[in-house]
Amino acid sequence: MLRDSFGRVATDLRVSLTDKCNLRCTYCMPPEGLDWLPTAQLLTADEIVRLVRVGVERLGITEVRYTGGEPLLRRELVDIVTRTTALEPRPQVLLTTNGIGLARVAEPLARAGLDRVNVSLDTLDPATFKRLAHRDRHADVIEGLAAADAAGLRPVKVNAVLMRGVNDHEAVPLLRFCLAQGYELRFIEQMPLDAQHGWTREGMITADEILERLSSAFDLAPDDLEQRGSAPAERFLVDGGPARVGVIGSVTRPFCGACDRVRLTADGQVRNCLFATEESDLKSAMRAGASDDDLAARWIAAVSRKRAGHGIDDPSFLQPSRPMSAIGG
Ligand code: SAM
């Protein structure tokens, strides 16, 4: 098992399939993009599936989420999902995507066994979308959401980040939209993970503020807080339920004590925390001929060094050198 020195066990593996993205969301990367990883440094599809297999067969991984960058940019995605859902014991296989191109692949992904999808949508206004993501692709995302729902990848979850003065007036309309479509909305507090290092505490819309805005229009009652377990989102029943909304207060309401996640970057580095400053290089070990046992041992050692918390509130906090897009959100 992937147990750290505080007794937490990692069962949720997040795999970045590429650091590239076709959007430029301001809380993630600059408009001009970033220097992408050279192809030779990216794990191949076979290498990805081998590491995931080691995680599932030997290390107790029960949930695999493919992310990025933008995972739909990886041509082998359907093949990777097919091979992941064939693993024993069968893990839950999930995808986090910006939704662009999902209209085309939702059906093949569902056939490959994908269980569910999270689609990022921060605004209902195409002009705000363009301002926030520097690309005019709002309609594609809406179409992608509908396709995921039609393909049965339900409940479709929507991730939204609110930014002060940009889209923070949209908490209520976003929830209305998701309720009407049957999507489950989750707001994520903006974290200091942008490549430009532009995050400020004052700029961040906090979980408290999100809840205050939502409460002006909806009756929110805490749901399953007792059984929240390792789930990052605090969930609330909306107007008595059954519809729910989630708020992920990564900064102001950290859930590190219950964290069960471990990450694999597109270039094969294990990260034991989104905010880790050290990584463990499984790709080089694998390319140098490491056995599955060897890889598992390195992975176990990497997780054992996980810190107690992300430390954003600590005066000594250092933002990781990799931005969110290169870690895998
Ligand atoms: N490209 C895919 C997408 O847009 O969903 C997957 C990768 S993206 C990094 C995953 C999630 O991280 C998205 O929901 C995005 O909004 C969120 N995200 C990115 N940067 C963030 C930040 N600085 N703070 C909070 N969430 C962030």
Side-chain angles (χ1 to χ4, degrees):
M1 278 205 293
L2 294 170
R3 188 186 293 278
D4 67 34
S5 62
F6 301 93
R8 293 167 299 190
V9 176
T11 54
D12 175 349
L13 172 62
R14 310 209 150 205
V15 183
S16 172
L17 295 183
T18 173
D19 58 326
K20 282 195 192 131
C21 193
N22 41 9
L23 295 181
R24 300 284 182 272
C25 303
T26 49
Y27 48 73
C28 192
M29 66 170 84
E32 65 276 16
L34 296 166
D35 290 333
W36 313 121
L37 289 165
T39 308
Q41 283 188 30
L42 293 181
L43 294 179
T44 64
D46 286 347
E47 287 172 332
I48 291 166
V49 175
R50 177 173 174 203
L51 289 178
V52 171
R53 180 179 54 70
V54 168
V56 168
E57 288 181 354
R58 296 169 183 248
L59 299 171
I61 293 297
T62 56
E63 188 171 312
V64 179
R65 178 176 294 276
Y66 289 115
T67 178
E70 176 43 50
L72 294 188
L73 294 180
R74 188 86 194 219
R75 260 177 300 152
E76 312 98 320
L77 176 64
V78 173
D79 172 53
I80 292 171
V81 169
T82 303
R83 292 161 72 187
T84 310
T85 55
L87 293 174
E88 288 287 339
R90 159 62 154 106
Q92 284 277 298
V93 184
L94 314 164
L95 179 74
T96 299
T97 170
N98 62 28
I100 297 172
L102 190 55
R104 202 173 17 86
V105 287
E107 191 59 54
L109 283 170
R111 276 200 305 273
L114 186 74
D115 292 293
R116 274 192 320 281
V117 66
N118 284 48
V119 179
S120 303
L121 176 70
D122 301 322
T123 176
L124 297 176
D125 175 21
T128 305
F129 186 95
K130 195 170 169 198
R131 182 176 163 209
L132 205 156
H134 294 102
R135 297 287 185 274
D136 200 1
R137 308 298 299 268
H138 187 259
D140 300 87
V141 180
I142 301 293
E143 207 188 328
L145 275 163
D149 194 47
L153 299 170
R154 299 195 193 108
V156 173
K157 295 193 179 174
V158 172
N159 291 353
V161 177
L162 296 181
M163 299 189 72
R164 203 173 296 287
V166 180
N167 62 339
D168 57 325
H169 56 289
E170 293 202 62
V172 169
L174 276 167
L175 181 51
R176 285 220 169 92
F177 168 77
C178 289
L179 293 175
Q181 305 298 322
Y183 307 151
E184 193 172 314
L185 176 62
R186 304 130 53 86
F187 290 98
I188 310 175
E189 273 180 352
Q190 189 191 347
M191 295 178 278
L193 285 169
D194 56 312
Q196 317 86 297
H197 290 224
W199 179 90
T200 60
R201 190 166 285 273
E202 306 71 48
M204 169 184 61
I205 302 289
T206 64
D208 282 353
E209 288 176 275
I210 295 164
L211 289 171
E212 197 180 299
R213 278 156 215 220
L214 295 177
S215 299
S216 68
F218 302 98
D219 179 30
L220 299 184
D223 177 41
D224 71 13
L225 277 183
E226 261 72 53
Q227 304 139 37
R228 183 174 164 196
S230 57
E234 281 180 60
R235 302 210 308 168
F236 299 85
L237 290 173
V238 181
D239 293 337
R244 291 174 173 80
V245 64
V247 178
I248 305 183
S250 319
V251 179
T252 65
R253 302 179 180 197
F255 37 87
C256 305
C259 177
D260 64 353
R261 296 174 177 188
V262 61
R263 291 181 151 81
L264 183 64
T265 65
D267 56 345
Q269 312 294 308
V270 167
R271 296 179 63 89
N272 59 25
C273 172
L274 205 43
F275 295 94
T277 47
E278 63 163 42
E279 301 179 336
S280 180
D281 185 0
L282 294 191
K283 180 192 66 193
S284 300
M286 185 163 49
R287 291 186 180 172
S291 65
D292 286 359
D293 278 348
D294 242 348
L295 294 171
R298 283 168 189 266
W299 202 333
I300 289 168
V303 170
S304 73
R305 295 192 291 270
K306 182 163 167 161
R307 289 177 303 166
H310 58 41
I312 297 175
D313 279 328
D314 195 296
S316 64
F317 173 73
L318 277 182
Q319 184 172 331
S321 49
R322 280 186 196 254
M324 181 69 133
S325 57
I327 295 173

